[in-house]
């Protein structure tokens, strides 16, 4: 059945240069237009910002990290409908210029840590990690930056000792090339506590082994393997307002139910580097 046109609504994605906006949002837009929803992509500050916008306008759609959206859904029961169409994983990364740092445990509370925007999914995830670790919770020298690349650059410039961010496992991305060119060290972000987290019986975090430093042309010619990291990943999900917010039997409720159903039809990005990116998260 064809849904009524929903004109003027947004698909809240991410930064103008980010994957949510340029790779995932067009896929969402295409799937929705197949059912005559006329939602359009809109830039934002990330998962947390997207959730706030959808709570304010339930007929809008958001893209986000499952861990962040699960928190918002728990705090706002009956307000969000969350769909996991299986379009990919984002992974947790920490990088440092200090070779002696091998985990996020036991860090000094005075250590300068760089994070993306305060409204980003990365910052929301870091704050969740702080609830699991008293020493992380006590860190008091945290700075916020426009994006992951800026946070990494602050480590390279010596303004921070560690940067934390959540991103697709794409070693060709500028963030990864900058890290590798500067010879920064990747720090594993995985522990038993974070892997226990579930929402509605769904595991929010998954341990994955991901490639972080490709071998390069010479390495490939000589059979050298890529450098990998054991870390934690979370699914990319789509969400909108729960249909139960609209009167039973109303056109608005019928449209919202159709919108939610169509989000499940969204396909993962294809072409370019995406085949390799989506494979670069090996289960352990």
């Amino acid at each position: 059945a064809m849904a009524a046109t929903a004109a003027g609504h947004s698909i809240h994605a991410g930064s103008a240069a980010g994957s949510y906006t340029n790779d995932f949002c067009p896929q969402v837009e295409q799937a929705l237009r197949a059912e005559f929803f006329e939602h359009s992509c809109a830039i934002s500050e990330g998962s947390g910002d997207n959730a706030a916008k959808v709570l304010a306008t339930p007929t809008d759609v958001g893209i986000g990290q499952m861990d962040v959206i699960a928190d918002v859904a728990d705090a706002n029961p009956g307000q969000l409908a969350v769909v996991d169409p299986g379009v990919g994983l984002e992974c947790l990364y920490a990088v440092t210029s200090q070779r002696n740092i091998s985990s996020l445990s036991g860090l000094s509370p005075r250590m300068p840590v760089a994070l993306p925007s305060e409204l980003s999914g990365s910052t929301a995830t870091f704050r969740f990690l702080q609830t699991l670790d008293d020493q992380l919770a006590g860190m008091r020298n945290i700075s916020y930056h426009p994006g992951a690349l800026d946070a990494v650059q602050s480590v390279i410039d010596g303004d921070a000792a560690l940067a934390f961010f959540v991103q697709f496992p794409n070693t060709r991305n500028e963030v990864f090339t900058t890290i590798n060119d500067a010879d920064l060290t990747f720090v594993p972000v995985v522990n038993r506590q974070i892997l226990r987290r579930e929402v509605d019986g769904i595991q929010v975090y998954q341990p994955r082994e991901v490639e972080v430093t490709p071998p390069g042309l010479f390495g490939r010619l000589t059979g050298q393997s890529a450098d990998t990291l054991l870390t934690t990943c979370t699914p990319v999900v789509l969400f909108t307002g729960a249909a139960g917010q609209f009167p039973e039997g109303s056109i608005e409720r019928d449209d919202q139910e159709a919108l939610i159903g169509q989000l499940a039809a969204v396909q993962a990005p294809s072409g370019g580097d995406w085949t390799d990116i989506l494979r670069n998260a090996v289960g352990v």
Side-chain angles (χ1 to χ4, degrees):
M2 296 191 300
T5 297
H9 294 302
S10 296
I11 305 165
H12 302 290
S15 68
S19 287
Y20 277 11
T21 300
N22 296 288
D23 299 304
F24 283 82
C25 201
Q27 299 293 104
V28 180
E29 198 173 76
Q30 180 180 354
L32 295 186
R33 294 202 173 182
E35 281 295 319
F36 303 96
F37 289 101
E38 295 186 355
H39 289 58
S40 299
C41 297
I43 62 172
S44 75
E45 293 191 54
S47 296
D49 189 28
N50 296 346
K53 286 179 163 66
V54 170
L55 286 173
T57 308
T59 49
D60 280 0
V61 171
I63 307 172
Q65 297 167 212
M66 184 172 181
D67 59 344
V68 176
I69 306 308
D71 263 352
V72 176
D74 282 349
N76 297 273
Q79 300 298 298
L80 293 181
V82 182
V83 177
D84 179 6
V87 294
L89 297 170
E90 287 193 281
C91 301
L92 283 57
Y93 298 97
V95 294
T96 181
S97 56
Q98 302 185 21
R99 301 290 183 184
N100 62 318
I101 298 176
S102 58
S103 77
L104 294 187
S105 298
L107 301 179
S108 166
R110 295 171 295 280
M111 173 182 284
V113 176
L115 299 176
S117 159
E118 287 192 81
L119 289 175
S120 68
S122 298
T123 293
T125 298
F126 187 80
R127 287 173 178 164
F128 173 66
L129 294 178
Q130 288 182 300
T131 68
L132 303 178
D133 187 297
D134 289 341
Q135 288 178 310
L136 276 183
M139 303 196 81
R140 55 180 184 265
N141 191 3
I142 295 175
S143 60
Y144 301 97
H145 303 266
L149 182 60
D150 305 278
V152 167
Q153 190 62 49
S154 71
V155 174
I156 296 170
D157 294 341
D159 298 324
L162 182 132
F164 175 88
F165 58 96
V166 180
Q167 192 152 308
F168 294 102
N170 177 11
T171 56
R172 296 183 179 91
N173 180 278
E174 187 179 5
V175 174
F176 285 89
T177 58
T178 299
I179 291 167
N180 288 316
D181 288 347
D183 199 27
L184 299 183
T185 298
F186 284 90
V187 180
V189 186
V190 63
N191 61 52
R192 288 186 179 181
Q193 285 177 292
I194 193 172
L195 296 177
R196 291 193 191 107
R197 189 180 182 199
E198 290 188 356
V199 173
D200 294 332
I202 301 172
Q203 189 175 3
V204 174
Y205 294 107
Q206 306 168 17
R208 289 289 187 270
E209 185 174 356
V210 298
E211 180 181 311
V212 291
T213 306
L217 178 60
F218 179 75
R220 288 194 296 271
L221 292 174
T222 57
Q224 181 181 338
S225 299
D227 291 339
T228 61
L229 175 76
L230 178 62
T231 191
T232 306
C233 302
T234 190
V236 177
V237 295
L238 309 173
F239 57 96
T240 186
Q245 297 180 76
F246 302 92
E248 189 171 355
S250 66
I251 292 174
E252 291 80 9
R253 183 159 179 166
D254 287 347
D255 282 351
Q256 196 66 11
E257 289 174 347
L259 176 66
I260 294 166
Q262 199 60 17
L263 290 178
V266 173
Q267 299 292 308
S270 60
D273 298 332
W274 276 101
T275 299
D276 291 337
I277 294 168
L278 295 171
R279 288 175 179 168
N280 183 21
V282 179
V284 294

